[in-house]
Amino acid sequence: MKASSPPTDEKFKIGMLLSDTRYRGTSLQVITFIIFVAVFFWLVDNTLKNLALLGKDVSFNFLFLRAGYDINQRLIPYSSDSTHGRAAVVGILNTLLVAFVGCVIATILGLFVGILRLSKNWLVAKLMSAYIEGFRNVPVLLWIVMVFALLTEFTPAPKAFKGADPQATMLFFDSVAITNRGTYFPAPILNEGAYWVIFIFILSVFAVIFLKRYADKLKRETGKDFPTFLVSIAILIFPSTILFFALGSPISLEYPYLKGFNFKDGIHLRNSFLALTLALALYTSAFIAEIVRAGIMAISKGQTEAASSLGLRPNKIMNLIILPQALRIIVPPLISNYLNLTKNSSLAIAVGYMDVRGTLGGITLNQTGRELESMLLLMGFYLCVSLLISSVINYYNRSFQIVVR
Amino acid sequence: MSKIAFVQKNKIPPSPAPISEVGFIGWVKQNLFSSWFNSLLTLISIYFIFIILRDFIPWAWGGHWNTKSLRECLDLNPDVACFSVLTARWKQLLFGLYPAEEYWRPTVTFIFLILSMIPILFPKYFKFFWFSVIYPGLAIWLLWGGSIWGVGIVYIGLSLGIFTFILLLKLVSKNTVLSGIGALIFLIVFFMFLSNYLVNFLNIILPIALPPVESLKMGGFTLSLIVGITGIVASFPIGILLALGRQSNLPIIKMICVGFIEFIRGVPLITLLFVASVLLNYFLPPGTNFDIVLRVIIMVTFFSAAYMAEVIRGGLAGLPLGQHEASASLGLTYWQSQRLVIMPQALKISIPGIVNTFIGLFKDTTLVSIISLRDPVGLASTIRADQTWNGIYWELYVAIGLMFFIFCFGMSQYSQYLERKLKTDK
Amino acid sequence: MEKTKINITDEVAIHISNMNKWYGNFHVLRDINLEVMRGERIVVCGPSGSGKSTLIRCINRLEEHQKGRIIVDGTELTTDLKNIDKIRSEVGMVFQHFNLFPHLTTLENCTLAPIWVRETPEKDAQDIAMEMLEKVKIPEQAHKYPGQLSGGQQQRVAIARSLCMKPRIMLFDEVTSALDPEMIKEVLDTMIQLAEDGMTMICVTHEMGFARQVADRVIFMDDGQIVEQNEPESFFNKPQSDRTKLFLSQILGH
């Protein structure tokens, strides 16, 4: 049989750019890249043309100009003479405040409702289910607007608290007033000696941490249980309280009182902040409750059965077996919901709360006309927050994975 | 040890369970009063429900439905609800400022929507699929009015484009990408040059038109449905492409898709809506002026596509392993295996997630009230600002909240039903 | 197959009389009467749905019975939590799906109960655990996680975990049904070793070879009642009831 000659190289044809696996991937990417860059440049070109027509240029100088408007709720000093940049910072801090407080309340509520939802008591489970479905299926903007309307129209005006026979009374022994201008709390005043009490309290916290370590060591070595919880509470309460009274009550409360038509002194929380935070917390708590419930239900019944048959009591089973496994399932979507709450806080404008969208993306944007730059900064802020939170989730997932082959 | 040998002589029939275990009493004992703690919880819950009902029922039951203003309600009886605001304004809440004599148009559009879903959801009626295809054009024409050929030309153009694609595939090159580019070029030429003449021509020989209605007049629940449904439907194909792109091992495509998805998911929707209302005009050639509702729909579509992409990505991950290899070893091309093998399965798994995305999107449509479009929440503020109804809030908000609740809760129950059905289907 | 030695004593380990259980309206266990002596090894078999798993789950109160009495080691099983705890520390159970705790290592799985139920110091608990792990022949897996072990290894860890509480009675609920064939032998060998050491055990299983070798008594259940029981030889060779004959033909036929 005649030996066959080795195959000669095929001549390169244009069609091979797309049909040959050696070139196809690169060709597709090159095509995509060209299209993408073309579209991008077309957009940028249009933008520049439009801006030129309006006589605007692209610059971030406005951040250093005088803002000229007031912000009625702020965590740092600010006046209408401050710069736009500072106004933006005030807005950012306001956003973060609402997000933080909202997340804390939402988590506590969500945990409570989620665990109760699993109760064997049919009535309680159904009530919690109604709570969850009720809050989840109504838009968050509607909740915000509703809670705000409730706080402003359902509550008495400050002057209703006046007189010998007032229409409205303060709560908690005349210390808290809920009015249609906001809620007034007593403010703590630190007098002489207050810092000692605070110092002792911080020491108590450290003492509790060391107590926990000691109790763990005791358990490991002798097997005996130690009433850590009760003793910790005692340590936190007693030393600080005793010192407080020994030094003659150095931390006093400044009570809000009615003067003229308004309350004076104390901490004033405006309705816009309260409405926004409460509505966001209630709405998000419904989602958190579902996550908690799904997490606990995901742990198979067999785990509880195995633990029971070993003789473990229900509370130990929850602490040692169920919760550690459930937390791994609960934490990533929980953090996701924190991100959602933070993004939803941008609806603050609906109630007049000055978050970052209200300052940077709102008044600053309108006054300076710098729409493009403000929006870029605004979106950049939210992107940073969300990227930060995503990396927290990824870190958690990587470190706490249950080991599998 | 033969003493252990035992054989049963007579089979024991089943006996009824003791009374305290079954029936109503048994149920009550186990579920409500099984321990003292449980009993306590039950009593607290009953008390709680009692208080809410005691305050709510008299207020709602004796409500006024026919007064002309809030003042009148309060004069008659301030302790009951003033539902007259709903009687007076329900049309507005449903249709916005749509001209009253044209109300039949949104209603028909909605009915047709349900009809157009049937061929998709029930394979039995697949032969009516052509209706689902023409429905979008029909809906746009019904809602916005104008000449039917404004919308019809798009269908004509696309059909010609597909025809060109198939022609190129058969006659010129077997390559899908090349034929695709060819068809694309045809479409660009057609829409830039030919379409205008064709529309004018068709208008002369066969004029069919409805009175046009401005976008700004649209509002209420109709607006929410339009934005929501268009957003979801349009984001579906984009979401699929993004999900596939994100999975791709071609780095540039992957980077673009990941970048897009993470960007959209990282910013609040309100900022995107703001871009729609203020900035989108900058990005387009000077002089173009888009309809505001269309701009909002575009941004909502992009927003929804990013979330849809993540849901589909989850669906793709849930596929049995080896599907890609199986279809490749059968000789299917990439797009064929996607169309015939991968996507049908992935989408089936993703359906609950897709429905959830829709529910979320539908709730998010309320945000358009912040850029001054008249969705129900925006309308509520308008109504409250009106002299006749100034100061009303419970009745209005409860009604709007109830509308959303019924819709969203219904959809979520449907999604759970689907999930259960999918599990047992396997 | 060599028959394991007989260890039966005169002491009653488990006494069940007139026991009935309902799931809602469904009469799942009907008039069960059973006495298990200490050191006795019992195999319970029967078609699925016959109530055999439910029966042994009633013994450690994973299920509650509504009528009749169950007395384990002299303690009656009632709603009294103290009794339940006492019985559970004397009775060990191994499950079909192992139910190991995936977030703990093998060693931690085994030391968990001694530490938290018996207040054993950690070191002592670990010693006991290593002893049991050696008994089931996988001491080298002590620091692995369950997800890293094969099915047969996991089930042996589950057996060791129960043994760490030094139970006097072991309940096995279809422990080889979820295993690949090549791993069944290693688990059965472990159980045979346990039997030879004198453990009182009740096994719900389909492994008839195991029954022949180890059991002192085979019990056949159907429709929630005990239909027939006998020594293995008599049971397999001379079944009396028609239902037993039908069941045996189905199991041993193929």
Side-chain angles (χ1 to χ4, degrees):
Chain A
M1 202 161 79
K2 196 164 148 218
S4 45
S5 45
T8 50
D9 277 330
E10 284 181 49
K11 278 225 301 282
F12 181 80
K13 291 191 287 235
I14 285 289
M16 281 167 69
L17 271 178
L18 286 170
S19 62
D20 193 311
T21 50
R22 285 173 295 179
Y23 307 115
R24 186 182 168 97
T26 325
S27 317
L28 282 176
Q29 287 188 82
V30 168
I31 297 177
T32 318
F33 187 66
I34 294 177
I35 297 180
F36 183 71
V37 169
V39 169
F40 185 71
F41 273 115
W42 180 67
L43 290 174
V44 172
D45 186 54
N46 284 332
T47 316
L48 290 176
K49 277 207 212 115
N50 281 314
L51 286 176
L53 279 176
L54 289 165
K56 296 188 202 184
D57 58 335
V58 180
S59 97
F60 288 91
N61 259 337
F62 69 96
L63 287 173
F64 304 108
L65 298 175
R66 180 178 176 276
Y69 63 93
D70 232 340
I71 305 178
N72 63 7
Q73 296 178 75
R74 50 188 184 262
L75 288 173
I76 56 174
Y78 170 88
S79 78
S80 52
D81 288 328
S82 315
T83 59
H84 279 295
R86 195 170 179 85
V89 173
V90 172
I92 290 179
L93 287 174
N94 281 348
T95 297
L96 292 176
L97 178 68
V98 168
F100 182 71
V101 177
C103 287
V104 167
I105 300 180
T107 312
I108 297 175
L109 269 178
L111 271 173
F112 185 68
V113 173
I115 293 183
L116 275 184
R117 173 82 180 75
L118 289 167
S119 160
K120 285 206 281 271
N121 187 318
W122 181 87
L123 204 53
V124 169
K126 283 291 174 217
L127 274 179
M128 292 302 126
S129 181
Y131 174 101
I132 293 175
E133 294 299 331
F135 277 109
R136 273 204 314 180
N137 287 310
V138 176
V140 65
L141 183 60
L142 194 57
W143 285 121
I144 295 177
V145 170
M146 259 205 272
V147 175
F148 186 69
L150 238 141
L151 284 177
T152 46
E153 302 189 27
F154 217 44
T155 49
K159 66 176 197 265
F161 289 78
K162 245 183 144 136
D165 189 20
Q167 285 175 303
T169 48
M170 297 167 76
L171 303 173
F172 299 123
F173 308 111
D174 276 355
S175 61
V176 176
I178 303 182
T179 76
N180 63 1
R181 292 214 192 171
T183 301
Y184 297 86
F185 288 98
I189 307 267
L190 301 175
N191 298 323
E192 179 90 39
Y195 290 103
W196 282 112
V197 178
I198 297 180
F199 179 65
I200 291 293
F201 184 74
I202 296 181
L203 276 187
S204 318
V205 173
F206 277 109
V208 167
I209 296 179
F210 281 117
L211 179 74
K212 182 95 185 25
R213 288 230 191 122
Y214 168 73
D216 282 343
K217 189 154 171 264
L218 189 72
K219 177 78 186 155
R220 272 204 306 277
E221 286 175 5
T222 67
K224 292 215 187 321
D225 280 326
F226 189 82
T228 331
F229 186 65
L230 289 171
V231 176
S232 309
I233 303 250
I235 292 183
L236 283 176
I237 296 185
F238 286 123
S240 320
T241 320
I242 295 176
L243 190 61
F244 180 79
F245 285 112
L247 288 179
S249 311
I251 304 180
S252 56
L253 291 173
E254 182 190 74
Y255 287 94
Y257 64 94
L258 190 56
K259 179 168 172 187
F261 287 112
N262 260 322
F263 278 92
K264 279 202 137 358
D265 287 346
I267 303 179
H268 177 204
L269 289 177
R270 285 179 204 265
N271 282 328
S272 55
F273 171 76
L274 284 172
L276 187 64
T277 315
L278 265 177
L280 284 175
L282 287 170
Y283 180 76
T284 315
S285 71
F287 290 90
I288 293 183
E290 273 298 287
I291 294 174
V292 167
R293 181 173 87 108
I296 294 186
M297 277 187 16
I299 311 302
S300 80
K301 201 158 150 254
Q303 294 285 296
T304 318
E305 287 185 349
S308 305
S309 51
L310 284 169
L312 287 163
R313 285 288 186 93
N315 69 321
K316 282 275 182 307
I317 298 180
M318 184 56 93
N319 276 333
L320 296 170
I321 309 292
I322 308 286
L323 274 186
Q325 296 184 61
L327 275 178
R328 282 171 170 89
I329 303 180
I330 290 175
V331 169
L334 182 69
I335 300 188
S336 230
N337 266 287
Y338 289 160
L339 178 60
N340 282 342
L341 193 148
T342 311
K343 286 194 291 179
N344 280 335
S345 71
S346 58
L347 297 174
I349 198 79
V351 293
Y353 181 74
M354 290 304 225
D355 71 323
V356 64
R357 198 202 160 276
T359 57
L360 177 59
I363 302 192
T364 299
L365 183 146
N366 282 327
Q367 278 190 352
T368 60
R370 296 270 170 211
E371 292 136 348
L372 191 61
E373 297 86 333
S374 312
M375 289 307 293
L376 278 175
L377 285 175
L378 186 64
M379 295 211 255
F381 165 70
Y382 281 112
L383 272 177
C384 283
V385 171
S386 77
L387 281 177
L388 193 68
I389 294 188
S390 296
S391 40
V392 168
I393 298 181
N394 284 334
Y395 172 73
Y396 178 84
N397 273 336
R398 272 200 313 271
S399 332
F400 289 97
Q401 281 292 7
I402 289 189
V403 181
V404 174
R405 199 193 335 226
Chain B
M1 286 253 185
S2 57
K3 68 175 174 140
I4 63 170
F6 166 80
V7 177
Q8 189 190 44
K9 295 241 178 0
N10 298 309
K11 189 167 159 184
I12 305 176
S15 336
I19 307 180
S20 64
E21 294 301 318
V22 286
F24 184 62
I25 302 183
W27 181 87
V28 169
K29 182 171 144 214
Q30 275 161 26
N31 285 310
L32 298 179
F33 296 104
S34 59
S35 70
W36 69 264
F37 182 64
N38 242 350
S39 313
L40 187 66
L41 281 179
T42 307
L43 290 174
I44 295 180
S45 312
I46 295 182
Y47 179 65
F48 183 67
I49 297 178
F50 170 69
I51 295 220
I52 293 188
L53 289 180
R54 180 194 69 184
D55 287 334
F56 181 71
I57 292 189
W59 177 82
W61 193 255
H64 310 293
W65 288 90
N66 285 312
T67 66
K68 291 278 177 300
S69 74
L70 181 60
R71 185 81 277 162
E72 216 181 304
C73 269
L74 292 174
D75 287 340
L76 281 178
N77 186 349
D79 291 326
V80 291
C82 193
F83 289 126
S84 334
V85 65
L86 297 176
T87 332
R89 297 290 188 124
W90 69 272
K91 291 204 205 82
Q92 206 180 30
L93 283 173
L94 279 184
F95 297 113
L97 292 178
Y98 212 84
E101 63 275 11
E102 310 282 341
Y103 277 167
W104 64 270
R105 283 157 59 177
T107 324
V108 165
T109 312
F110 190 58
I111 296 177
F112 277 177
L113 172 69
I114 302 182
L115 287 178
S116 75
M117 296 294 283
I118 294 182
I120 305 180
L121 294 177
F122 299 105
K124 239 182 6 179
Y125 299 104
F126 196 70
K127 53 186 191 272
F128 295 111
F129 189 61
W130 58 268
F131 184 70
S132 315
V133 174
I134 68 165
Y135 174 75
L138 193 60
I140 294 179
W141 176 64
L142 279 173
L143 288 170
W144 271 274
S147 153
I148 197 173
W149 298 116
V151 178
I153 196 70
V154 176
Y155 277 93
I156 296 177
L158 282 177
S159 319
L160 287 175
I162 294 180
F163 184 65
T164 321
F165 176 70
I166 299 180
L167 211 62
L168 286 176
L169 206 57
K170 285 234 151 58
L171 297 180
V172 176
S173 148
K174 280 224 173 13
N175 201 307
T176 21
V177 179
L178 273 181
S179 316
I181 296 182
L184 211 59
I185 297 178
F186 168 79
L187 279 175
I188 295 178
V189 166
F190 178 82
F191 280 112
M192 277 177 65
F193 299 115
L194 294 176
S195 50
N196 275 335
Y197 296 113
L198 207 51
V199 169
N200 290 333
F201 177 66
L202 286 166
N203 266 333
I204 297 177
I205 53 170
L206 200 59
I208 309 179
L210 285 173
V213 177
E214 280 189 319
S215 292
L216 285 175
K217 288 223 192 315
M218 308 214 185
F221 220 43
T222 311
L223 183 63
S224 309
L225 279 173
I226 293 177
V227 174
I229 293 179
T230 320
I232 270 284
V233 170
S235 69
F236 196 61
I238 304 180
I240 294 181
L241 287 176
L242 281 174
L244 288 176
R246 189 175 180 151
Q247 273 205 330
S248 154
N249 33 21
L250 304 174
I252 295 196
I253 297 185
K254 184 170 174 160
M255 263 187 345
I256 296 178
C257 293
V258 170
F260 180 82
I261 295 176
E262 292 303 318
F263 172 74
I264 298 268
R265 279 161 54 93
V267 295
L269 178 59
I270 191 69
T271 52
L272 292 173
L273 288 179
F274 206 71
V275 167
S277 80
V278 169
L279 289 183
L280 206 55
N281 280 329
Y282 288 173
F283 295 145
L284 297 169
T288 44
N289 211 331
F290 262 78
D291 187 274
I292 176 75
V293 173
L294 193 55
R295 279 183 271 150
V296 163
I297 290 182
I298 292 178
M299 289 319 270
V300 163
T301 304
F302 283 147
F303 185 73
S304 165
Y307 286 86
M308 187 73 85
E310 284 297 285
V311 168
I312 296 179
R313 187 163 83 110
L316 285 171
L319 279 181
L321 293 170
Q323 294 291 304
H324 286 97
E325 293 174 338
S327 44
S329 61
L330 284 170
L332 297 173
T333 68
Y334 179 76
W335 291 110
Q336 275 175 328
S337 61
Q338 289 299 333
R339 186 167 60 89
L340 298 168
V341 177
I342 308 286
M343 273 302 146
Q345 295 185 63
L347 292 178
K348 191 163 153 206
I349 302 179
S350 319
I351 287 180
I354 294 178
V355 176
N356 282 336
T357 310
F358 177 49
I359 298 176
L361 192 70
F362 190 66
K363 287 187 296 178
D364 284 339
T365 58
T366 52
L367 268 61
V368 302
S369 61
I370 299 191
I371 50 172
S372 314
L373 283 180
R374 294 197 185 80
D375 86 305
V377 177
L379 279 177
S381 309
T382 320
I383 296 178
R384 288 194 342 127
D386 187 329
Q387 273 285 47
T388 19
W389 303 108
N390 198 350
I392 203 169
Y393 58 98
W394 268 130
E395 295 83 348
L396 208 51
Y397 287 140
V398 165
I400 298 176
L402 206 60
M403 278 201 301
F404 275 103
F405 178 79
I406 293 175
F407 193 82
C408 295
F409 185 64
M411 292 247 66
S412 81
Q413 290 300 100
Y414 179 65
S415 148
Q416 282 175 24
Y417 159 75
L418 277 179
E419 241 174 313
R420 277 197 300 270
K421 194 154 162 295
L422 283 174
K423 274 210 194 96
T424 54
D425 258 356
K426 279 236 179 279
Chain C
M1 235 184 293
E2 212 186 287
K3 185 92 167 93
T4 54
K5 57 187 201 287
I6 297 178
N7 290 313
I8 309 175
T9 66
D10 286 331
E11 208 187 314
V12 175
I14 304 177
H15 170 95
I16 304 178
S17 56
N18 294 91
M19 199 259 277
N20 281 279
K21 179 175 169 57
W22 285 265
Y23 274 139
N25 261 324
F26 179 52
H27 198 171
V28 59
L29 288 174
R30 308 180 194 174
D31 218 32
I32 304 284
N33 289 292
L34 178 64
E35 233 177 43
V36 180
M37 314 301 283
R38 187 161 310 286
E40 200 176 358
R41 288 119 358 155
I42 300 200
V43 164
V44 181
C45 62
S48 69
S50 53
K52 23 186 226 299
S53 284
T54 314
L55 173 60
I56 63 172
R57 284 158 66 93
C58 284
I59 296 178
N60 72 348
R61 202 67 171 181
L62 283 181
E63 306 276 357
E64 283 176 26
H65 60 281
Q66 280 89 34
K67 220 171 124 188
R69 305 176 75 190
I70 302 181
I71 304 178
V72 177
D73 259 349
T75 314
E76 177 157 6
L77 205 49
T78 61
T79 51
D80 190 341
L81 279 175
K82 280 203 300 295
N83 286 353
I84 298 178
D85 283 343
K86 188 154 175 291
I87 289 173
R88 281 189 179 155
S89 58
E90 298 289 326
V91 175
M93 185 158 190
V94 185
F95 300 83
Q96 181 178 359
H97 296 289
F98 335 135
N99 287 337
L100 291 179
F101 306 131
H103 59 298
L104 303 174
T105 63
T106 303
L107 193 64
E108 286 164 348
N109 263 276
C110 294
T111 57
L112 183 78
I115 291 179
W116 292 99
V117 179
R118 293 232 167 97
E119 294 193 347
T120 318
E122 193 180 28
K123 191 80 183 49
D124 300 343
Q126 284 175 345
D127 290 338
I128 301 176
M130 286 312 291
E131 191 190 320
M132 292 307 152
L133 285 175
E134 271 171 28
K135 208 170 193 184
V136 301
K137 301 206 177 53
I138 40 169
E140 71 281 358
Q141 308 290 354
H143 298 289
K144 293 265 180 71
Y145 284 89
Q148 297 171 299
L149 303 176
S150 74
Q153 290 170 322
Q154 287 190 51
Q155 194 62 296
R156 285 188 281 156
V157 171
I159 297 177
R161 177 176 68 174
S162 299
L163 290 176
C164 284
M165 288 296 277
K166 305 267 173 70
R168 303 179 76 189
I169 303 170
M170 284 289 276
L171 304 172
F172 293 92
D173 189 359
E174 304 222 30
V175 300
T176 53
S177 301
L179 293 176
D180 290 334
E182 65 270 17
M183 296 192 224
I184 294 183
K185 181 174 187 308
E186 67 196 56
V187 175
L188 288 180
D189 284 343
T190 313
M191 289 163 71
I192 292 173
Q193 182 62 50
L194 269 181
E196 305 223 326
D197 293 340
M199 176 69 79
T200 316
M201 48 167 74
I202 305 182
C203 310
V204 173
T205 183
H206 294 128
E207 296 290 327
M208 294 301 137
F210 172 78
R212 278 205 155 104
Q213 183 179 354
V214 168
D216 299 310
R217 204 187 337 167
V218 179
I219 296 179
F220 172 67
M221 279 182 74
D222 191 12
D223 272 340
Q225 49 208 285
I226 297 180
V227 175
E228 183 169 342
Q229 66 176 3
N230 213 332
E231 291 157 356
E233 284 309 311
S234 318
F235 181 84
F236 287 116
N237 295 336
K238 290 195 289 265
Q240 303 285 316
S241 157
D242 285 335
R243 284 155 35 175
T244 320
K245 290 179 191 160
L246 178 62
F247 175 72
L248 284 176
S249 71
Q250 285 166 339
I251 283 224
L252 301 171
H254 59 279

